[in-house]
Amino acid sequence: MNSNPRLNAILIKIKKMGYSLTPQRLEIIKIISESKSHPSATDVYNKVKELYPMVSLNTIYKNLSMLASLHEVKEIKTMQDSVRYDGDISLHGHAICEKCGKIIDVEIDEFDFKGFFETKIKNKLDENYRIRNYGVEFYGLCGGCGKEDSPSKT
Amino acid sequence: MNSNPRLNAILIKIKKMGYSLTPQRLEIIKIISESKSHPSATDVYNKVKELYPMVSLNTIYKNLSMLASLHEVKEIKTMQDSVRYDGDISLHGHAICEKCGKIIDVEIDEFDFKGFFETKIKNKLDENYRIRNYGVEFYGLCGGCGKEDSPSKT
DNA sequence: TTATTATATAATAATAAATATTATATAAAA
DNA sequence: TTTTATATAATATTTATTATTATATAATAA
Ligand SMILES: [Mn+2]
Ligand SMILES: [Mn+2]
Ligand SMILES: [Zn+2]
Ligand SMILES: [Zn+2]
C-alpha cells in the first residue's frame, strides 16, 4: 500500500467496481489525489505526459469522467473556462478567481451545511427529489489579482 | 412604466450606464426578467425570434453577457450543458436536475448565508480577496426523472 | 501456456457552445 | 442633415468536450 488515503480509497473502489488498473489510470489517480490545485483535464494531461508521452487527452477525459461517476472526484464548472477536477471529495466550497482562475478551498461547517440542507432545502423540493451532489462557489478576485481594477477614481 | 419591477430596474440601469435601448434588447430584457425557467441563450433566442425573426444568436449572447456584467442577470453553469440565465438576482440557490436540466429555485435564508459567509469564509481568505458573486447548487434528479433509475434490484 | 474475449488507450474526427470578425443598420451627437 | 458611435446580423473561428475507430493491453477460458 502507500501513505495517501485518498489514493487507496480510489484504488479500492476501482477494484471493487471491476475496472482494471492500467499504468495511465494509476498515474491519473495519483495526480488527482495528490493535487491541491484543482487541475483541468489539460493540466492532468500535461502531467501524465511526463511519464507517458503518448497518452491521449481522450484517456484523461474518460478516466476523470469515470472517477466523477464513481463520486471519487468532483467536477467544478467555473465561469470562464474549462471544467476543473477535485480529488478532495470532503464537504467544502470554492473561492474562484475570475481573473487568474485560481481555486481555493473554502471550509464549510458540516453541521451548518447539513442543517441548512435538511431544514431549508429538502422540504422545499418534491419529496422524491434526489440530491446527489452540491456545489458552493464564491466568485471574485484573489489577493494577487484584485489590486488595481477599481474603476478609475480620478 | 410597467408593473414588472425587475424590468424597470434593468431599464434604469441600462439608461444610467448609457447603453441604448434597442427593440431586440428590450425584448431580451423582458424575456429574462419575466421567465422563471432559467433559460439558455438558445431558449432566449427562440423566444426573441417570435417577434424579430432575423435576430442573431450573437446579439443574444452579447446582451446576456452585458446584463451579467452589470449584475442584472446571473449565469448558472450546469454540469451537463450550456449556461443558463437567471433574471432573479435575489439571494437564492438552485436545484438542478441532471437528467432533464430543470432548474428549481431554492430559498436561502439571508441571515444564515451572510453569517456563514462572514464568519466561515471571509476570514479564511486573503484579506483583499474580493467576493463578487456566489453560487449554491444542488445536483440530482427531480421528481419526474428520479423514478426508475435505481440499479436493477432483481 | 495459448486462445478468446473484454476493456482501455491512442489517434483522429466530429460536435456544439461561445466568441470573434466584418459589414450593415440603427441610434446618438454635432 | 452630417458625422460618429453603438448595436445588430451574418458569418467564420475557436476550443473544450465527445464520439469513432483501430490498436493495444488486460482479464478470462481453454
Ligand atoms: Mn477543493
Ligand atoms: Mn433562480
Ligand atoms: Zn487571481
Ligand atoms: Zn428532471
Side-chain angles (χ1 to χ4, degrees):
Chain A
M1 277 292 146
N2 64 72
S3 56
N4 184 334
R6 283 294 303 130
L7 177 56
N8 289 333
I10 297 175
L11 294 181
I12 288 168
K13 176 78 78 71
I14 291 284
K15 177 171 266 182
K16 195 176 78 176
M17 301 302 286
Y19 294 109
S20 53
L21 187 62
T22 65
Q24 295 91 331
R25 177 165 292 167
L26 176 58
E27 184 61 14
I28 291 167
I29 295 171
K30 273 185 186 170
I31 289 166
I32 200 66
S33 69
E34 285 164 7
S35 172
K36 303 254 168 278
S37 65
H38 311 89
S40 68
T42 306
D43 294 335
V44 175
Y45 175 57
N46 289 326
K47 280 231 172 173
V48 175
K49 267 206 298 197
E50 292 171 9
L51 246 181
Y52 303 102
M54 76 303 296
V55 75
S56 94
L57 193 49
N58 187 305
T59 297
I60 310 297
Y61 275 109
K62 277 257 173 72
N63 278 281
L64 289 175
S65 301
M66 183 260 269
L67 292 169
S69 77
L70 297 180
H71 296 104
E72 293 295 340
V73 306
K74 269 193 80 168
E75 295 173 326
I76 308 167
K77 277 232 169 182
T78 69
M79 278 306 170
Q80 48 274 326
D81 50 358
S82 46
V83 172
R84 306 279 286 266
Y85 295 87
D86 195 345
D88 177 1
I89 57 171
S90 71
L91 177 73
H92 68 288
H94 292 112
I96 304 173
C97 177
E98 289 176 315
K99 196 170 183 188
C100 72
K102 190 171 5 181
I103 299 181
I104 300 173
D105 285 338
V106 164
E107 207 178 326
I108 293 180
D109 184 273
E110 187 163 345
F111 185 75
D112 285 0
F113 192 75
K114 291 279 202 270
F116 172 70
F117 172 69
E118 295 293 339
T119 63
K120 301 281 165 50
I121 292 165
K122 217 168 179 177
N123 59 30
K124 290 279 173 187
L125 300 173
D126 184 336
E127 66 168 313
N128 39 16
Y129 202 114
R130 302 192 209 168
I131 301 290
R132 302 220 255 218
N133 213 342
Y134 70 91
V136 177
E137 302 90 32
F138 296 94
Y139 297 96
L141 292 175
C142 76
C145 293
K147 290 287 165 63
E148 71 305 315
D149 79 322
S150 44
S152 58
K153 51 194 160 202
T154 9
Chain B
M1 277 292 147
N2 66 71
S3 57
N4 184 333
R6 283 296 300 131
L7 177 55
N8 288 334
I10 298 175
L11 295 182
I12 288 168
K13 177 77 78 76
I14 292 284
K15 176 171 266 182
K16 193 175 79 175
M17 300 301 287
Y19 294 110
S20 53
L21 187 63
T22 65
Q24 295 92 332
R25 178 165 289 167
L26 176 59
E27 184 62 15
I28 291 167
I29 295 172
K30 273 185 186 169
I31 290 167
I32 200 66
S33 67
E34 285 164 6
S35 171
K36 302 255 169 277
S37 65
H38 311 89
S40 67
T42 307
D43 294 334
V44 174
Y45 176 57
N46 288 327
K47 280 229 172 174
V48 176
K49 268 207 294 198
E50 292 171 11
L51 247 181
Y52 304 101
M54 76 303 297
V55 75
S56 96
L57 191 52
N58 186 303
T59 298
I60 310 297
Y61 275 110
K62 275 258 174 71
N63 277 281
L64 289 175
S65 301
M66 185 259 272
L67 292 169
S69 76
L70 297 179
H71 297 103
E72 293 296 338
V73 306
K74 268 193 81 168
E75 296 173 325
I76 308 167
K77 277 234 168 181
T78 69
M79 278 306 170
Q80 49 272 324
D81 50 0
S82 48
V83 172
R84 307 279 286 267
Y85 295 88
D86 194 345
D88 178 0
I89 56 170
S90 71
L91 177 74
H92 68 287
H94 292 112
I96 303 173
C97 178
E98 288 177 316
K99 196 169 182 188
C100 73
K102 191 173 1 183
I103 299 181
I104 300 172
D105 284 338
V106 163
E107 207 179 326
I108 293 180
D109 184 272
E110 188 164 343
F111 185 76
D112 285 359
F113 192 75
K114 291 280 202 267
F116 172 69
F117 172 69
E118 295 295 339
T119 63
K120 301 282 165 50
I121 293 166
K122 217 167 181 178
N123 59 30
K124 291 278 174 188
L125 301 173
D126 184 336
E127 66 168 315
N128 40 15
Y129 203 115
R130 302 193 208 167
I131 301 292
R132 302 222 256 217
N133 214 342
Y134 70 93
V136 177
E137 302 90 32
F138 296 94
Y139 297 96
L141 293 174
C142 76
C145 293
K147 290 288 167 58
E148 72 303 315
D149 79 322
S150 44
S152 58
K153 53 195 160 201
T154 8

